[in-house]
Amino acid sequence: MLLKQFLRIGLVGFSKKSCRSFTKQPDFTKNTYQIERGFYNYLQEPHLNYFKKILGDDGNRVITDESLLEHYNIDWFKNVKGSSKVVLKPKTTEEVSKIVSYCNANKLAVCTQGGNTGYSAGAVPVFDEVILSMELMNQILDIDVNSGNVVCQSGIVLENLDNILAEKGMMVPLDLGAKGSCQIGGNVATNAGGLRLVRYGNMHGNVLGLEVVKANGEVLDCLKVVRKDNSGLHIKNLFIGSEGTLGIITKVALRCPIRPKTQHVAFLGLQNYEKVLKTLRKCRQDLDEIISAIEVMDSLSLEWGEQHTKLSSPIGRYPYYLLIETSGSNEQHDEAKIQGFLESALNGHYILNGVVTGEPSKVKSLWAIRERLPEGFKNHGWVGMYDLSMPTDQFYNVVDELRTYLKNSADYVFGFGHLGDGNLHLHVITKKYDKRLETDVEKFLMDKILPMKGSMSSEHGLGFIKRKYLPAVNSSESYHFMTDLKKLLDPNRILNPYKVFP
Ligand code: FAD
Ligand code: ZN
């Protein structure tokens, strides 16, 4: 029986900075990955004096205290650790411009950091790069309720921006598990996808304009606020997904859709992956105009998540789970549609069991089961994160084949992700980083994914960990075009070195 009910799910918010625990300590990246420092200058007293002249000398915006630095030197998954000696916290574009042009003139490498929730270790230094934290650049500059857009500084936390927009009946067209920490600038810099891409599209479609500080300190103003603009090349798009390697994003103009009046979430248990695909097709046919998310998890991922988050499946154990969300403007209409879909999916034996709710607190709790899955992985040891796009019917062939291929050389292989976008997250975890295992997994996946014309990094970027993919997954012409662009925009390679470009 399909129940419109709710069972024992704890209420949660996620990923406030206080949640970070540093029980697991990674070794320094330079040791783990055996990598050589570039020919950059080392930070000296006169450099610090200059930064203090710009940002003040009270220790709040030029951080050199070792105990405070650790938080900025280690990534969210605690896979890598840099050894930066300073974090700078500008509040204005002018301050960013002065800092960057000084670093460029003095050959000091810079690592821009947003919320430090990125999955590819792009936001933490590899060696002693100056960390440019955007966290104080968190002001909203304008909200246009008629056109439906917002202009803000780039360091505002996604969830904070969304809460403010909610007061005007608007929303950020992006949602992800890290929303309590990640920043809009980090989202743009990674071209984040997230949970509702199936409905609202990615950052290339939603960013209307950007202000960017170039490596030489020049401010590039592309901060338009209109949806249509064909008056020249679309320069802003170069910086979307550039992961801090081409410029520092200081302001963002973003399209903001109307906030839906009603949302429903269904959490379903299924017998096998074939049924998952049948249900996906049915869901698109029956609910297309109101779908806002379609997520999949396998039993192992969910059980692991349950153990580590103390949340539990409201429907017991099944080989596969689907989380389907609808968003719309008419409660009765949407409820009738989703109930109708679920009843016929149940009667047609597409699904084995499920719950559905439209109550906001319960919607949040069901989402927490999916959003908090990655929390479970981070304290185990080394987490190999693979973020793949491919035809949806291949998702769990790849997961199962990788499990068979690896036998006992990895502790676990988890498969879950954004089924509606054709984006699978595959996490391989072991107690310790093992270079041979990493190389094996990468080769296995490239051999599978590239012939399918898929993507080896769908939403997490390349950062440090996947920088070797750049030449491997792009044609040599595109690769050289990208490296030429990097040379043009950052000739001294001070912006986020060791990342993206191998
Ligand atoms: P950071 O991690 O700080 O930085 C990421 C990269 O952007 C770095 O290379 C950094 O140098 C650069 N950068 C940051 N700010 C700027 C700036 N202002 N100017 C220039 N460069 C900058 N990602 C998804 O796409 N979809 C998901 O569904 C998703 N779910 C997640 C769930 C969890 C629990 C966690 C922990 C992460 C998840 N992520 C997801 C990954 C991550 O949250 C996103 O990549 C996010 O966009 C990163 O934002 P951030 O502010 O934390 O950036
Ligand atoms: Zn994702």
Side-chain angles (χ1 to χ4, degrees):
M1 253 279 285
L2 188 74
L3 302 172
K4 195 182 174 201
Q5 65 169 20
F6 221 75
L7 309 174
R8 291 190 312 281
I9 303 175
L11 274 183
V12 270
F14 170 66
S15 102
K16 299 284 174 222
K17 281 187 177 159
S18 56
C19 290
R20 275 172 174 246
S21 92
F22 282 89
T23 43
K24 172 182 128 189
Q25 272 288 340
D27 192 0
F28 286 108
T29 309
K30 60 185 176 203
N31 300 337
T32 312
Y33 289 88
Q34 306 282 311
I35 164 170
E36 298 273 322
R37 187 180 182 279
F39 295 106
Y40 299 100
N41 281 326
Y42 288 90
L43 187 76
Q44 310 277 348
E45 205 57 38
H47 304 137
L48 280 175
N49 290 339
Y50 178 79
F51 297 141
K52 286 176 186 166
K53 208 168 94 187
I54 300 173
L55 302 180
D57 199 4
D58 57 5
N60 290 327
R61 296 173 65 204
V62 179
I63 315 279
T64 51
D65 179 334
E66 290 251 333
S67 64
L68 298 174
L69 288 174
E70 181 170 276
H71 173 78
Y72 298 89
N73 270 313
I74 298 180
D75 72 313
W76 195 85
F77 271 104
K78 302 182 213 165
N79 273 341
V80 293
K81 181 175 175 180
S83 48
S84 179
K85 303 279 179 269
V86 68
V87 175
L88 304 178
K89 296 188 182 179
K91 284 186 174 173
T92 64
T93 303
E94 197 190 350
E95 289 173 353
V96 173
S97 162
K98 282 184 181 159
I99 292 166
V100 176
S101 85
Y102 180 82
C103 290
N104 193 39
N106 288 277
K107 282 210 104 187
L108 291 170
V110 178
C111 173
T112 307
Q113 189 171 101
N116 192 9
T117 66
Y119 272 8
S120 302
V124 291
V126 175
F127 290 92
D128 54 348
E129 297 90 284
V130 170
I131 297 175
L132 191 66
S133 164
M134 304 304 282
E135 67 189 68
L136 300 182
M137 296 198 52
N138 56 10
Q139 300 300 305
I140 293 185
L141 306 171
D142 187 40
I143 298 179
D144 180 342
V145 288
N146 293 318
S147 310
N149 62 52
V150 62
V151 181
C152 58
Q153 284 187 303
S154 62
I156 189 162
V157 168
L158 172 58
E159 193 169 43
N160 297 348
L161 178 60
D162 193 53
N163 287 339
I164 291 165
L165 289 170
E167 291 166 18
K168 312 260 180 204
M170 294 152 77
M171 64 182 280
V172 180
L174 169 77
D175 189 17
L176 38 103
K179 57 179 161 268
S181 295
C182 68
Q183 300 172 2
I184 203 70
N187 302 146
V188 176
T190 52
N191 188 22
L195 304 163
R196 301 213 170 87
L197 187 138
V198 70
R199 169 76 163 260
Y200 300 106
N202 70 6
M203 298 308 273
H204 281 286
N206 288 312
V207 171
L208 305 173
L210 291 178
E211 178 190 79
V212 177
V213 173
K214 288 165 57 189
N216 62 6
E218 246 173 62
V219 180
L220 191 62
D221 180 354
C222 318
L223 200 62
K224 295 194 177 164
V225 290
V226 288
R227 282 189 79 181
K228 297 171 86 174
D229 174 31
N230 284 344
S231 50
L233 300 182
H234 293 201
I235 298 174
K236 71 172 163 56
N237 284 359
L238 272 183
F239 299 95
I240 301 174
S242 67
E243 302 182 61
T245 61
L246 300 183
I248 321 290
I249 298 162
T250 44
K251 288 181 191 149
V252 180
L254 197 66
R255 186 175 84 87
C256 305
I258 293 294
R259 206 170 191 87
K261 289 199 181 110
T262 172
Q263 276 182 322
H264 289 84
V265 168
F267 191 89
L268 313 174
L270 300 97
Q271 192 172 17
N272 54 44
Y273 191 61
E274 224 182 290
K275 296 276 167 88
V276 170
L277 291 174
K278 268 181 91 172
T279 311
L280 170 71
R281 287 197 300 274
K282 183 170 177 48
C283 163
R284 285 195 166 128
Q285 280 157 6
D286 293 6
L287 301 172
D288 188 48
E289 75 281 10
I290 51 170
I291 290 173
S292 48
I294 310 172
E295 298 288 309
V296 67
M297 292 163 271
D298 67 0
S299 56
L300 190 65
S301 309
L302 189 106
E303 279 166 34
W304 183 268
E306 283 183 335
Q307 279 171 33
H308 290 82
T309 59
K310 305 209 166 48
L311 297 169
S312 57
S313 156
I315 53 173
R317 295 265 176 277
Y318 293 94
Y320 292 91
Y321 303 88
L322 274 177
L323 186 155
I324 295 172
E325 183 193 70
T326 63
S327 305
S329 57
N330 183 321
E331 167 81 33
Q332 280 93 7
H333 167 270
D334 291 7
E335 188 176 328
K337 280 205 94 165
I338 197 160
Q339 285 286 0
F341 158 72
L342 293 173
E343 269 159 38
S344 71
L346 197 65
N347 294 336
H349 307 288
Y350 289 64
I351 60 177
L352 294 172
N353 198 359
V355 287
V356 61
T357 182
E359 229 179 275
S361 66
K362 293 171 181 173
V363 163
K364 209 169 162 181
S365 300
L366 278 184
W367 261 119
I369 300 172
R370 162 63 186 91
E371 289 184 358
R372 294 185 62 195
L373 266 192
E375 268 182 74
F377 310 132
K378 71 186 223 178
N379 284 315
H380 182 78
W382 178 74
V383 192
M385 285 160 284
Y386 303 93
D387 168 29
L388 314 163
S389 274
M390 68 188 91
T392 5
D393 55 2
Q394 295 302 318
F395 266 34
Y396 282 91
N397 290 341
V398 171
V399 177
D400 291 340
E401 285 170 23
L402 183 63
R403 280 176 183 150
T404 311
Y405 174 72
L406 292 179
K407 291 196 190 88
N408 298 327
S409 52
D411 294 346
Y412 300 97
V413 175
F414 299 104
F416 60 97
H418 314 296
L419 182 69
D421 317 334
N423 176 191
L424 171 73
H425 292 322
L426 205 153
H427 287 199
V428 177
I429 65 175
T430 54
K431 281 267 175 303
K432 257 183 84 189
Y433 173 68
D434 175 347
K435 189 171 170 43
R436 214 177 66 193
L437 172 69
E438 186 185 48
T439 313
D440 268 6
V441 175
E442 278 168 358
K443 182 166 176 347
F444 177 90
L445 292 176
M446 283 203 194
D447 288 349
K448 288 262 161 232
I449 303 300
L450 298 183
M452 292 187 230
K453 302 274 178 226
S455 168
M456 286 294 292
S457 182
S458 313
E459 55 175 19
H460 298 156
L462 300 180
F464 170 72
I465 291 180
K466 297 177 189 159
R467 68 198 187 287
K468 53 186 165 296
Y469 294 6
L470 195 75
V473 303
N474 291 294
S475 69
S476 87
E477 296 79 12
S478 335
Y479 171 66
H480 287 115
F481 191 82
M482 291 188 231
T483 51
D484 286 350
L485 211 57
K486 170 74 175 168
K487 273 183 219 150
L488 180 75
L489 288 172
D490 180 19
N492 292 331
R493 296 180 72 98
I494 62 150
L495 295 182
N496 224 1
Y498 324 104
K499 316 284 172 57
V500 182
F501 297 92

